[in-house]
Amino acid sequence: MALALASGAISLSFLDVSQGIFDTLLGEAGSRNALIVGQIRLPRVLLAAVMGATLAISGAAMQGLFRNPLADPSLIGVTAGASLGAALIIVTGGSLLQGYIGLSLVSAGAFVGGVIAVLFVYRLATSANGTSVATMLLAGIAITALSGSIGSLLEFFADNNMLRRISLWKMGGLDGANYPRLILASVVGGALLVALPRYAGALNALLLGESEARHLGIKVDRIKLALIIWVAVGVGTSVALVGTIAFVGLVVPHIVRMLAGPDHRYLMPASALAGALLLVVADALARVLVAPTELPVGVITTIVGVPFFISLLRNRHHYGMQ
Amino acid sequence: MSTLQLKGVCAAPWGQALLEDIALNLQPGTVLGLAGPNGAGKSSLLQLIAGDIQPSTGQLTFCERAMTEWPPQARAQRLAFLPQMSLLSFPYTVAEVVRLGRIPHSSGYRADSDIVEQALQLTDTVSLRHRLYTQLSGGEKQRTQLARIFAQILGQESLSGSLLLLDEPTSALDLAHQQLVLLATQQLAMRGCAIVVVIHDLNLMASIADQILVLDNGCQIALGSPEQVFTTTLFKEVFGVDVTVGHHPQEGYPMITPLRPTLL
């Protein structure tokens, strides 16, 4: 965390960092260190931590719900819907999209798009006999494909400027970090970090199978709906604030499960912690590697995470995964 | 007080009738065996009792109270179901799987550990406790799931008012473990637990069942003690197999031996 605060286009010593935090806390925002740390890096690092934790814990919940270690929050259509929502705003927004208001509009579009996509997927999978998880997976894939192709259609009609915005947004980035965004992220992320671990026991039972969970006295349909809503709000917010950041929601819970076992009571908090760590480190690298420009953080999470993940997969028999 | 009572129960969850006019009355401590050809409705009847399938007509009463009126958690504390197949593909240890059976109870960590221990001993899975479930053999998995089911209803000395539904609990087990599981089931029955069990080995079923219910095409063909039910005519009519009915040399319960089909 401190390392992430210290590194950047202008590198600061740890002394500078602590001085910057101190100055900010005292309200003396004038100094150079206070400006860099307090106004730019601190909100950014904290935003990375909160969003990493949100994505990872959502991923853990989805993998439990779908009883599939390869499930990802994006499976229920939230990421694709959000991307489409954002692209729609970028293409149709025109001159409205200047500066701060534009950025907020795109975020709002992404959030609304993500939530609509999830509601649609959920409706498709729900019948009189309850919600079928397998149908939801298929509906999620269908909605993802549909949003993707509508998005491509939009890109086809977009001009160069819009295209660059869309593709940058898709790669994800934390460069829009500021305190209002951090507060919004913390409220949603905090609620998620408190709410989801309460379903740990039910998720453990769900791994046995849906009817087995029902025989253990779990109200399966209610739990399913609650989990989907929490994940939609959490991931929708994260896509709205920092764009699509691939890989964290899929791989972090997977890695944690291999190291700590599948019990959700430990899996969920540990995933949140590991997700926060991965995103903070990835963002620090994104800022430093080609300073003074920045790389998109989604690219880094993938480049950092994949080799680690592959090495775990090669040894998966040690961890009992088939 | 009867543990389980069905009166004129029919079920047709997907349009066509799966079960027709089933009536039975199960007292605490009795073992009911379900027999019948493939697709006769044995598993469907278990699922109906467990609440996975809703009856279209008739009454289903569990401990003097309509099954649908039971709150899910209270019901799960005294009704456990071992399905034919297990879907678990996550690397829990055996002890963790068995402990999942304690989810409906809030008896505390210490009491749960004692009960998990008992369940492991009843199923001879003590030595497997730290093994990963995904790396077990079929028979070991089956015993682990059985231990989970036992852990779900154990807790009090008297188990009257509890019900176990076992769908082929011995299908993957070797001879010694078949005997062990039957012994464990009988112990639970002696403590008052009512048990409904599907076993394809009918001689094995006759050795533990107090009553046998024979199903064919979803209809109840016969209900009675093994001696009453196991007749050559019934096996000819329901299974289409010629058998001779003998007796176990020590225990005296009926045993069947299929005769070689005559070649035309």
Side-chain angles (χ1 to χ4, degrees), chain A residues 11-322:
Chain A
S11 57
L12 302 173
S13 69
F14 286 117
L15 196 68
D16 292 336
V17 171
S18 47
Q19 191 198 343
I21 293 176
F22 209 60
D23 284 355
T24 311
L25 288 179
L26 288 177
E28 295 170 27
S31 76
R32 187 193 76 144
N33 291 345
L35 207 63
I36 292 177
V37 174
Q39 292 304 311
I40 302 173
R41 286 192 194 156
L42 190 62
R44 181 168 179 157
V45 169
L46 288 178
L47 186 66
V50 172
M51 289 290 91
T54 303
L55 285 171
I57 200 169
S58 303
M62 281 297 100
Q63 294 179 359
L65 180 63
F66 286 104
R67 286 191 297 285
N68 188 335
L70 295 177
D72 177 272
S74 64
L75 264 184
I76 52 173
V78 56
T79 312
S83 295
L84 179 59
L88 209 62
I89 299 284
I90 290 173
V91 172
T92 59
S95 60
L96 274 176
L97 292 181
Q98 300 307 318
Y100 188 64
I101 298 177
L103 215 56
S104 307
L105 259 181
V106 173
S107 299
F111 183 77
V112 171
V115 171
I116 288 178
V118 172
L119 288 180
F120 196 50
V121 167
Y122 185 76
R123 279 297 311 150
L124 280 176
T126 305
S127 64
N129 297 328
T131 309
S132 155
V133 164
T135 314
M136 208 156 84
L137 226 123
L138 292 173
I141 290 171
I143 296 299
T144 301
L146 184 66
S147 320
S149 50
I150 297 178
S152 303
L153 207 63
L154 282 176
E155 285 170 26
F156 185 75
F157 290 111
D159 62 27
N160 275 339
N161 186 24
M162 293 172 184
L163 270 182
R164 182 161 172 74
R165 289 185 74 143
I166 293 176
S167 73
L168 269 180
W169 190 86
K170 272 191 182 166
M171 282 185 255
L174 290 150
D175 45 329
N178 54 31
Y179 282 106
R181 287 180 168 231
L182 175 61
I183 289 168
L184 180 62
S186 306
V187 169
V188 174
L192 218 63
L193 291 179
V194 172
L196 286 183
R198 288 175 47 217
Y199 296 103
L203 281 169
N204 283 340
L206 270 170
L207 290 189
L208 289 167
E210 258 177 57
S211 44
E212 281 86 343
R214 209 170 285 125
H215 299 150
L216 285 168
I218 308 281
K219 293 173 182 133
V220 174
D221 284 322
R222 245 172 60 183
I223 302 267
K224 248 190 278 189
L225 181 61
L227 282 175
I228 287 163
I229 290 175
W230 278 114
V231 169
V233 170
V235 178
T237 307
S238 95
V239 180
L241 293 179
V242 298
T244 57
I245 295 178
F247 208 65
V248 178
L250 168 66
V251 169
V252 168
H254 205 109
I255 290 172
V256 173
R257 189 178 296 110
M258 285 179 163
L259 300 176
D263 189 334
H264 286 86
R265 285 172 300 175
Y266 313 113
L267 177 65
M268 295 222 264
S271 295
L273 214 63
L277 190 71
L278 173 62
L279 206 55
V280 168
V281 169
D283 182 53
L285 286 175
R287 283 182 285 136
V288 182
L289 285 181
V290 289
T293 24
E294 290 184 5
L295 288 172
V297 70
V299 175
I300 304 283
T301 51
T302 312
I303 291 177
V304 173
V306 167
F308 188 48
F309 186 51
I310 288 177
S311 78
L312 281 177
L313 281 185
R314 286 180 57 84
N315 297 316
R316 67 186 178 279
H317 295 299
H318 292 303
Y319 311 105
M321 297 302 291
Q322 301 299 307

